[in-house]
């Protein structure tokens, strides 16, 4: 019944326009239809953090990366050419972060990445890092902190090298600190844990941490991982494995935003919208899409195209539903 209704009634563009106006009126400030998490911070010539958030394309921005920590190292923030943290040069980002948050974008600090030197040696090391993260970026956040006192929305675990131990301890410690904070007492869930495991299951570095069940969002890297490529036909079974393994998290499909950005795993945006996302959405804990990275997305317009396609699809469905309802 619905498809023929669409053909008959949605054929009138004037009617569709009127119905769209009604839809806009009842869904004021509807956000973009696909939740997209993006990594920001490592791209030369990338737009600023505030510009990134102001595009309205993203639900989450991961600041990449806290690239050195643990094992007696002093934690070091590395934001490539954006700013120099050694001289307090990244403190100005606090204003951008506040602006992002006021626009409804969650901002997280991503620890790890592929460039630095990090790893946790023992439980004390994990406790110390949790305290450092809490005091500088989440709970205390003094103006002397590397991001100028910004209170972030959470910590992202993007662990790809070094030792694989004690990240479960880090997650538990962060959760415990959050639990005993005023934020939690007020019932205000502003602090989340996220992670970016490699797709082959289970991930060597993050498996024990993910087993804690403490992660809110998990963006699985379906790129540079031939066993999980869309092209090799194994994406769906890998997706089923991850979504079944993380019932308490929402799972995002991590993809490159440009074909020359990752050795493998690029999916053109039309195929993503018409083939892959409908499959991914069949999982109850589907979360959205994660893109590496803002710089590449800016160059290719990948997320803008994806939101545009999704907007048109959602718009058509909503109009038709409205008409059917209105006629019933
Ligand atoms: C834990 O690791 C830290 C950093 O490597 C080290 O300084 C400390 O001695 C270790 N503690 C124990 C109890 O092994
Ligand atoms: C961020 O961008 C918005 C929209 O362009 C602007 O209104 C705001 O002043 C900017 N904030 C900062 C801190 O640059
Ligand atoms: C945090 O609090 C929640 C809700 O009260 C509780 O279920 C959970 O076990 C606590 N987690 C930790 C690590 O303390
Ligand atoms: C929850 O956090 C938001 C954002 O920081 C704040 O605006 C709001 O007042 C807080 N609500 C409570 C009940 O603490
Ligand atoms: C999609 O629709 C939302 C809500 O109407 C709008 O804010 C956004 O700009 C649209 N996105 C694109 C890419 O057209």
């Amino acid at each position: 019944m619905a498809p023929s209704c669409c053909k008959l009634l949605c054929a009138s563009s004037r009617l569709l326009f009127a119905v769209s106006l009604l839809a806009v009126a009842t869904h004021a400030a509807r956000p973009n239809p696909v939740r997209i998490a993006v990594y920001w911070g490592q791209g030369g010539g990338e737009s600023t953090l505030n510009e990134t958030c102001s595009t309205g394309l993203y639900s989450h921005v991961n600041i990449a990366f806290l690239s050195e920590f643990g094992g007696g190292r002093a934690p070091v923030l590395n934001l490539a050419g954006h700013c120099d943290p050694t001289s307090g040069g990244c403190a100005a980002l606090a204003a951008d972060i506040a602006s992002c948050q006021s626009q409804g974008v969650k901002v997280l600090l991503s620890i790890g990445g592929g460039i630095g030197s990090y790893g946790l040696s023992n439980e004390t090391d994990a406790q110390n890092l949790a305290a450092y993260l809490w005091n500088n970026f989440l709970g205390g956040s003094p103006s002397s902190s590397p991001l100028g006192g910004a209170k972030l929305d959470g910590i992202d675990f993007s662990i790809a090298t070094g030792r694989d131990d004690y990240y479960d301890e880090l997650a538990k410690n962060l959760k415990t600190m959050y639990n005993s904070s005023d934020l939690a007492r007020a019932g205000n869930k502003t602090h989340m844990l996220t992670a970016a495991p490699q797709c082959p299951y289970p991930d060597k570095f993050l498996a024990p941490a993910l087993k804690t069940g403490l992660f809110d969002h998990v963006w699985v890297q379906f790129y540079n991982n031939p066993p999980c490529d869309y092209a090799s036909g194994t994406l769906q079974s890998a997706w089923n494995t991850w979504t079944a393994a993380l019932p308490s998290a929402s799972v995002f499909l991590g993809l490159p935003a440009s074909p020359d950005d990752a050795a493998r795993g690029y999916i053109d945006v039309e195929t993503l919208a018409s083939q892959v996302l409908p499959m991914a959405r069949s999982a109850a804990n589907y979360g959205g899409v994660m893109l590496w990275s803002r710089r590449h997305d800016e160059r290719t317009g990948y997320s803008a195209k994806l939101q545009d396609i999704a907007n048109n699809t959602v718009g058509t469905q909503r109009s038709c539903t409205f008409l059917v309802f209105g006629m019933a």
Side-chain angles (χ1 to χ4, degrees), residues 100-297:
C100 289
Q101 290 168 329
S102 74
Q103 296 172 72
V105 180
K106 302 287 185 198
V107 184
L108 299 99
L109 175 66
S110 187
I111 66 167
I115 46 168
S117 157
Y118 54 83
L120 299 171
S121 314
N122 52 46
E123 287 188 14
T124 313
D125 214 10
Q127 281 160 16
N128 290 342
L129 181 62
Y132 169 83
L133 292 171
W134 182 265
N135 293 333
N136 284 285
F137 303 107
L138 299 168
S141 311
S143 58
S144 60
S145 73
L147 292 174
K151 277 191 168 49
L152 301 180
D153 296 296
I155 300 292
D156 176 55
F157 289 40
S158 190
I159 309 303
T161 181
R163 294 182 55 119
D164 56 2
D165 265 347
Y166 302 109
Y167 290 106
D168 52 345
E169 292 297 326
L170 178 63
K172 283 182 213 160
N173 277 292
L174 284 168
K175 197 58 160 191
T176 302
M177 299 184 91
Y178 169 72
N179 266 4
S180 54
S181 71
D182 292 342
L183 282 176
R185 272 194 289 274
N188 204 339
K189 186 163 170 49
T190 52
H191 175 221
M192 50 181 139
L193 295 179
T194 68
Q198 303 288 328
C199 179
Y201 186 88
D203 179 77
K204 168 171 153 54
F205 294 101
L206 291 168
L210 292 175
K211 275 216 185 79
T212 63
L214 295 174
F215 287 77
D216 300 285
H217 304 307
V218 177
W219 7 85
V220 182
Q221 297 184 41
F222 281 82
Y223 51 95
N224 280 335
N225 282 307
C228 297
D229 260 7
Y230 181 67
S232 66
T234 49
L235 182 144
Q236 182 164 0
S237 65
W239 175 256
N240 292 343
T241 300
W242 277 101
T243 50
L246 297 169
S248 61
S250 62
V251 184
F252 286 57
L253 197 64
L255 297 171
S258 150
D260 48 41
D261 188 21
R264 291 193 61 161
Y266 178 76
I267 303 175
D268 71 78
V269 72
E270 287 80 11
T271 306
L272 177 67
S274 66
Q275 309 292 317
V276 184
L277 289 187
M279 179 284 294
R281 281 198 184 98
S282 66
N285 54 344
Y286 158 82
V289 172
M290 174 273 271
L291 294 177
W292 176 269
S293 63
R294 171 57 187 158
R295 175 167 76 100
H296 296 284
D297 192 30

Side-chain angles (χ1 to χ4, degrees), residues 56-79:
L57 294 168
Y58 311 111
S59 56
H60 300 79
V61 176
N62 296 316
I63 297 180
F65 292 103
L66 188 81
S67 63
E68 289 184 33
F69 59 79
R73 303 169 190 87
V76 172
L77 184 68
N78 176 323
L79 298 180

Side-chain angles (χ1 to χ4, degrees), residues 75-100:
V76 172
L77 184 68
N78 176 323
L79 298 180
H82 285 290
C83 52
D84 180 6
T86 56
S87 56
C90 298
L93 283 174
D96 282 36
I97 292 165
S99 170
C100 289

